[in-house]
Amino acid sequence: MTADADPRPSAVATRLTVASAAPDRVILPVRALAAGREDFPVLGMAAPPGPGRAAVQAFYRAARRLDDIADDRNLSKADRHAAIAAFMDGLEGDGQPRLTAMPAAAHDLWRLAAEAAAAFARAGIDITPLRDLAEASRRDVDGFVPADWAALDGHCRLSAAPVARVVMAVSGDQDPARRQAGDDLAVALQLLNHIRDLGADYRAAGRVWLPGSWLTDAGLGAAVLGAPAAPPRLLAAIGRMLEAVDDLLDRARPLLTTPVRRLRIQAALTLGIARRHRRRFTGTDPLARRIRPRRRDWAGALADAGLAALRVPEPESQTAGSSFGMAIRLMPSDGRPAMQALYAVSRLVDDIADGHAPAARRRQLLDAIDADLLALGADHAPTGPDAALLDDAVRHHHLPVDALRQIVAGCLSDCSDHPGGAPAWADLLRYADRVAGAVGEAALVAFGVPQAAGRAYARHLGRALQLTNILRDIDEDAIHGRIYLPAEALMAAGADPRAAPVVIAEGPARLPAARALGRAARDAFAAADAALPDDPHLRRRLRPAMAMADAYRGLLAVLEARRFTALPPDLRRQLKRRAVRAALRHAVLARIGG
């Protein structure tokens, strides 16, 4: 059965097609993709000829049959469990005498598992990936439903990551960071398949691929997945999964630095098609239509692979694709290393706070960072897992410890499994000053502006930018179970600030509360303008910050004109282009001394 005919998602990173006319021969993904049977390439040229390629082919044969049997509703649940048990026996070389009492599916799986185990042994590969696949299939038979993100991520690392581990093993690249990147890429591909099939899987088999906690945050039940079109709350919840995909694809980029040319080409091809496929979900309802990569997506990905074949691998810039990237390019060269160090710390802290780990674990990680910063402030050596990064930021680039600790404190306030409603004005402004104003204060070191001359400007501008971000992201934050509209403004508009965030975001108090927050943002911009140093030299050094101020003023004006409703994707892209033009204008003024 082809991927198009079967609406259910594969238990591995992609759908693995076995030629019906030649059961011992795997159709390589490049050919299958060209025929429209696969969404992503996962084998290609990454497996060199010899025992390694034979092991990968045996893996695909076993994985495809295992997945088909686990999904076969014509078999009873007991028969499917028996077949998976036979698969495990085949991996261990046990159980053949018991096969006579088992269904035919068990015979198939036992044989394929035994063949795969033998091929893995010849290639010197551990069979753990095959065991993980079997465990994922067992969970699928039992009707796995993810309670939260950790459960979904863990399931994908059983059902999708094994294919990456096998490919990495046969390629010969044993670098731990790239092996982790391979796992992340495989999980991202699996999530894209799940998003693509959300409606079809629920309607066909009652399967749910969105974390239950995310549906609860959105005030929805699983039955909404059976609707012909997704309501706005569901689209926002799907957006959370797309954010996770974006993060995983970013974390997969170290694969492009592998010295193994075959693997580098394969990684560029797979990442290229995945990123293009992911962009097609923006502004599209996956319940209303099935989204697949297009020919033009393939053409672009193949071009990426061709460049990868010619490129000498280099470490990736930390700030590639980030908002810090533009600021760094506008800065004088002497300040760029310090800004990159600030970006690295900010990204580390922000990724932990916005991650999908349980709140207690995120707080633990942030507390460890704060302890290291406290040690550095006392001129002691840090000892935590991120000690080298923090030591470089503080001792080498002289970023202020107090400002970095305030950033951590602000992000700690976001680490709650059950946020406690809308914040009071004082708490909201303190939060903005920590997560944004402190970043501006630390950036003064990179700009080469003395704290005494620039601190007030940095603090006021940081507050203005953060309040504008809050107004832009009201709906997205609400779906995440957060609301940042001030409690006093909500109460003045007749709303309960302790109500569910999605209720507040969709209620009549949203507009007056957002207007109050918009006025506070305007006041902060005005205060920043008044605090801008008079010294022309310092103003030139602050041009990157002034460019951000202009871009965010424009964003605030658009939000006000739209009555603080969500921005559609095309308008967001237009605003990004405006920001680039503002940055270029300030870059020219800095060069000519304006």
Side-chain angles (χ1 to χ4, degrees):
M1 182 177 291
T2 66
D4 283 331
D6 182 359
R8 294 167 295 184
S10 171
V12 292
T14 69
R15 298 188 182 277
L16 308 173
T17 305
V18 180
S20 58
D24 291 332
R25 179 173 62 86
V26 173
I27 298 178
L28 297 183
V30 169
R31 293 167 58 191
L33 283 155
R37 289 189 290 268
E38 303 282 354
D39 276 359
F40 303 108
V42 289
L43 175 58
M45 66 291 296
R53 176 164 293 185
V56 172
Q57 292 175 336
F59 172 84
Y60 279 127
R61 286 193 293 269
R64 177 69 271 177
R65 186 64 177 137
L66 180 67
D67 186 45
D68 286 345
I69 289 174
D71 285 349
D72 191 347
R73 299 282 164 168
N74 294 320
L75 293 173
S76 69
K77 184 175 179 179
D79 281 350
R80 284 180 280 160
H81 273 306
I84 294 169
F87 183 87
M88 291 298 294
D89 288 342
L91 290 180
E92 307 298 339
D94 299 327
Q96 189 170 18
R98 292 178 292 180
L99 286 176
T100 55
M102 290 186 176
H107 291 262
D108 287 346
L109 280 184
W110 188 93
R111 176 182 60 81
L112 289 169
E115 291 174 355
F120 274 41
R122 287 191 293 271
I125 303 172
D126 183 74
I127 62 171
T128 298
L130 289 162
R131 293 194 187 104
D132 288 346
L133 283 182
E135 173 59 20
S137 294
R138 185 192 64 76
R139 293 184 183 187
D140 284 340
V141 171
D142 286 336
F144 169 77
V145 175
D148 52 25
W149 165 255
L152 178 60
D153 181 67
H155 186 71
C156 289
R157 291 187 187 277
L158 289 174
S159 66
V163 66
R165 293 171 194 156
V166 173
V167 170
M168 292 296 290
V170 301
S171 74
D173 189 339
Q174 301 300 314
D175 179 76
R178 286 192 288 270
R179 289 168 69 89
Q180 180 61 50
D183 283 9
D184 291 336
L185 177 56
V187 173
L189 303 185
Q190 181 78 314
L191 291 177
L192 286 173
N193 281 345
H194 287 336
I195 297 169
R196 179 197 66 194
D197 296 332
L198 276 176
D201 282 346
Y202 184 81
R203 289 188 287 267
R207 287 189 172 174
V208 178
W209 294 118
L210 278 174
S213 60
W214 292 5
L215 290 171
T216 300
D217 288 343
L220 300 170
V224 72
L225 298 174
R233 289 187 187 182
L234 179 58
L235 288 175
I238 293 169
R240 294 181 73 173
M241 190 178 285
L242 290 171
E243 289 174 9
V245 170
D246 290 337
D247 181 54
L248 289 162
L249 291 177
D250 283 343
R251 284 155 49 185
R253 292 188 65 86
L255 286 171
L256 299 176
T257 68
T258 177
V260 181
R261 186 168 178 268
R262 286 176 175 272
L263 181 61
R264 190 166 68 250
I265 295 170
Q266 184 67 65
L269 181 62
T270 308
L271 267 169
I273 194 65
R275 286 195 177 280
R276 289 166 174 83
H277 188 39
R278 178 326 191 187
R279 285 197 291 268
R280 296 201 63 210
F281 285 96
T282 300
T284 305
D285 180 358
L287 264 60
R289 57 179 292 228
R290 201 160 188 261
I291 301 166
R292 298 287 300 271
R294 301 165 296 185
R295 290 182 183 274
R296 75 176 82 169
D297 299 329
W298 267 99
L302 288 169
D304 293 342
L307 291 174
L310 301 173
R311 184 173 60 236
V312 176
E314 297 177 357
E316 295 233 320
S317 169
Q318 281 188 302
T319 57
S322 74
S323 57
F324 273 77
M326 180 62 75
I328 289 172
R329 286 190 290 272
L330 288 175
M331 291 178 62
S333 58
D334 60 346
R336 291 176 188 173
M339 185 62 83
Q340 288 172 329
L342 175 59
Y343 169 78
V345 175
S346 299
R347 176 69 186 266
L348 169 68
V349 173
D350 194 53
D351 282 352
I352 292 172
D354 288 342
H356 302 292
R361 175 59 177 162
R362 285 180 279 149
R363 287 193 296 270
Q364 181 184 29
L365 293 170
L366 291 174
D367 284 340
I369 292 173
D370 188 62
D372 274 349
L373 289 171
L374 192 61
L376 284 164
D379 204 25
H380 298 313
T383 59
D386 303 297
L389 185 152
L390 299 173
D391 186 86
D392 178 68
V394 174
R395 290 183 173 175
H396 185 215
H397 297 292
H398 310 293
L399 298 181
V401 168
D402 287 345
L404 297 180
R405 291 191 68 207
Q406 286 188 55
I407 298 169
V408 174
C411 288
L412 271 167
S413 65
D414 280 335
C415 294
S416 172
D417 285 327
H418 306 286
W425 265 114
D427 293 333
L428 174 61
L429 295 179
R430 185 183 305 112
Y431 168 77
D433 289 344
R434 284 174 168 174
V435 300
V439 172
E441 183 180 336
L444 293 175
V445 174
F447 291 142
V449 175
Q451 291 286 328
R455 186 175 186 275
Y457 175 74
R459 284 285 176 174
H460 289 305
L461 180 58
R463 176 182 289 187
L465 300 183
Q466 185 62 25
L467 297 183
T468 305
N469 276 337
I470 288 170
L471 290 166
R472 180 195 63 196
D473 298 334
I474 292 174
D475 295 283
E476 181 180 331
D477 287 334
I479 291 298
H480 284 72
R482 298 171 183 166
I483 194 75
Y484 294 103
L485 295 175
E488 294 90 338
L490 290 170
M491 288 188 289
D496 181 358
R498 297 166 298 178
V502 290
V503 173
I504 295 174
E506 295 178 355
R510 169 184 175 140
L511 180 57
R515 282 174 170 162
L517 194 58
R519 289 192 292 271
R522 288 278 178 199
D523 290 343
F525 277 121
D529 289 343
L532 191 64
D534 293 327
D535 186 334
H537 172 71
L538 295 183
R539 286 195 177 217
R540 283 197 297 273
R541 305 288 297 192
L542 287 170
R543 279 291 174 185
M546 295 166 69
M548 291 185 68
D550 283 357
Y552 270 74
R553 276 195 185 91
L555 171 60
L556 180 58
V558 170
L559 290 167
E560 290 170 333
R562 291 179 54 84
R563 298 167 63 88
F564 301 100
T565 56
L567 301 177
D570 58 340
L571 182 54
R572 286 180 179 254
R573 289 190 291 270
Q574 182 180 345
L575 289 169
K576 285 184 179 180
R577 290 193 291 270
R578 289 184 189 176
V580 171
R581 289 196 293 270
L584 292 174
R585 180 170 65 84
H586 281 278
V588 171
L589 290 173
R591 295 281 183 178
I592 65 176

